[in-house]
Amino acid sequence: HVQLVESGGGSVEAGGSLRLSCGVDGPPYSRVCMGWFRQAPGKEREGVAAIDSDGTARYAESVMGRFTISNDIAKNIVYLQMTALKAEDTAQYVCAASPLSCPRAEITGRRFKYWGQGTQVTVS
């Protein structure tokens, strides 16, 4: 079983930056792939970024070049550094873990088994 706790959300002006953190508690075999998802009111959940245990990262086209996912294995924390934020980035951001390797193409939630509660990001 894996427990995930997100932090770092808040309100920021457009063009600003935020760094989200996801504290991970669980055996390594249960979190081979770590991902960040977001969901805005009235919209479908979107896979934002994912990182494999070997450090290979993948991003949604909507955040490519602006967001960076990283995994501090020693601290058991997965980060999502967000820069050049836009109003359309406003959403609830959720961390997720999968015992499988990350999706090769679109980052979908189907492969992810464990989910955090989320942290709100508001860009105005």
Side-chain angles (χ1 to χ4, degrees):
H1 186 70
V2 177
Q3 290 187 318
L4 306 169
V5 180
E6 302 94 335
S7 61
S11 297
V12 64
E13 292 184 352
S17 300
L18 277 176
R19 188 178 75 164
L20 305 182
S21 300
C22 174
V24 185
D25 183 14
Y29 61 81
S30 294
R31 45 187 173 98
V32 173
C33 176
M34 297 296 302
W36 282 98
F37 293 78
R38 67 185 181 186
Q39 187 164 20
K43 294 187 177 181
E44 292 188 357
R45 183 177 61 196
E46 177 188 19
V48 174
I51 187 166
D52 266 313
S53 55
D54 66 357
T56 302
R58 296 168 179 80
Y59 300 92
E61 191 172 331
S62 59
V63 305
M64 192 83 70
R66 300 188 298 122
F67 290 12
T68 303
I69 187 171
S70 60
N71 191 350
D72 189 329
I73 296 174
K75 295 182 178 179
N76 287 327
I77 299 176
V78 178
Y79 298 102
L80 184 67
Q81 178 69 50
M82 305 184 295
T83 63
L85 283 162
K86 307 174 182 179
E88 50 263 44
D89 294 319
T90 294
Q92 181 85 346
Y93 284 71
V94 182
C95 177
S98 171
L100 307 174
S101 58
C102 290
R104 296 300 180 192
E106 182 182 0
I107 303 169
T108 64
R110 288 193 300 267
R111 297 169 72 92
F112 291 83
K113 185 174 181 179
Y114 306 102
W115 297 82
Q117 294 298 310
T119 185
Q120 178 67 32
V121 171
T122 302
V123 185
S124 59

